[in-house]
Amino acid sequence: IDWFTEWPAEALRGVATEAFADIDFPNDTIKDGVVKLCRDIHQGVEKASIQYAEELRRYNYVTPTSYLELLSTFRKVLGEKKDELETGKRRLTVGLDKLESTEKAVEVMQVELTDLKPILVKTSQEVDELMAKIEVDKASAAETKAVVEGEKEIASVKAAECKAIKDSAEA
C-alpha cells in the first residue's frame, strides 16, 4: 500500500461524511459545506506540501491519518464550542429568569409602597405633632425647673436659719 498517494476527492468526501454522520447539523447544506471544507483543506495541504518539497527540498507527508486527525480535531472543537454555547445559553436563561423575578418583586414592592404611603404620611404627621408637644413640654419643664430652683434656694436659706437657731438653743 502506498500511503503517500493522493486520495480521490470522492473518497475524502465519503470518509468525512461517515465521520460526521452522528453530528446533528442544522441542515444538509451546512453538513455538505463542512465536508467540502475538510476535503479542500486536505487537498490544499497536499498541494502546499508538494510545492514545499519542490522549493525547499523538504518533505511533508500528508497521509490518510492526517485527514482522519483533521476530522477528529474538527469534531473535538465543534463539541467544545457547542458546550460553550450551551453554558452561555444556560447563563443567559438564568439571568433572564432572575431579571423577571426581580421585576415581579419590584412591582409587588411598589404596590406595597403605594398602599403604605398614606400610613407613612399619617405617621409622619403624628411624629411632627409629638415633636411639637415635646417642645412645649420641654419649655414647661424648664419653667418648672426654674421655679423649683428658686424654691430650693429659699428652702436652703430657711434650713440654714433653722440650723443656726437649733445650734444656739443647744448651746
Side-chain angles (χ1 to χ4, degrees), residues 3 22 46 50 54 64-65 69 72 90 117 122 137 147:
W3 293 105
D22 61 337
E46 284 178 336
I50 292 169
E54 289 173 359
T65 305
E69 191 64 34
S72 171
R90 191 171 38 257
K117 194 169 187 173
K122 180 182 172 194
D137 290 346
V147 170

Side-chain angles (χ1 to χ4, degrees), residues 4-158:
F4 303 111
T5 52
E6 292 183 14
W7 277 17
E10 188 59 31
L12 294 173
R13 188 190 64 73
V15 170
T17 301
E18 186 63 32
F20 299 147
D22 61 337
I23 295 177
D24 186 27
F25 287 100
N27 57 46
D28 288 339
T29 305
I30 292 175
K31 184 175 184 177
D32 292 341
V34 169
V35 167
K36 184 178 181 302
L37 176 70
C38 289
R39 181 194 69 205
D40 292 347
I41 289 172
H42 185 74
Q43 288 175 335
V45 170
E46 284 178 336
K47 288 176 186 173
S49 293
I50 292 169
Q51 184 180 358
Y52 183 70
E54 289 173 359
E55 290 177 8
L56 301 176
R57 301 251 186 247
R58 293 192 172 188
Y59 295 96
N60 177 47
Y61 297 105
V62 182
T63 64
T65 305
S66 303
Y67 187 63
L68 295 174
E69 191 64 34
L70 169 68
L71 300 177
S72 171
T73 302
F74 178 83
R75 290 176 56 93
K76 178 183 170 191
V77 170
L78 181 65
E80 290 171 358
K81 293 301 176 184
K82 278 186 177 181
D83 290 344
E84 286 177 18
L85 287 173
E86 284 299 319
T87 301
K89 181 182 175 184
R90 191 171 38 257
R91 285 182 180 163
L92 285 174
T93 302
V94 168
L96 287 173
D97 290 344
K98 295 281 184 188
L99 285 173
E100 214 171 85
S101 67
T102 302
E103 181 181 10
K104 289 178 183 175
V106 166
E107 287 174 3
V108 168
M109 288 179 201
Q110 284 178 336
V111 168
E112 290 174 356
L113 182 61
T114 304
D115 293 344
L116 292 175
K117 194 169 187 173
I119 296 171
L120 179 61
V121 168
K122 180 182 172 194
T123 306
S124 178
Q125 288 173 347
E126 289 174 357
V127 166
D128 289 342
E129 290 170 4
L130 186 60
M131 290 301 290
K133 184 179 177 191
I134 288 173
E135 286 297 322
V136 169
D137 290 346
K138 193 175 178 183
S140 175
E143 291 173 9
T144 305
K145 183 178 179 184
V147 170
V148 169
E149 288 288 327
E151 290 179 4
K152 183 179 172 186
E153 285 288 325
I154 294 170
S156 293
V157 169
K158 288 201 182 211

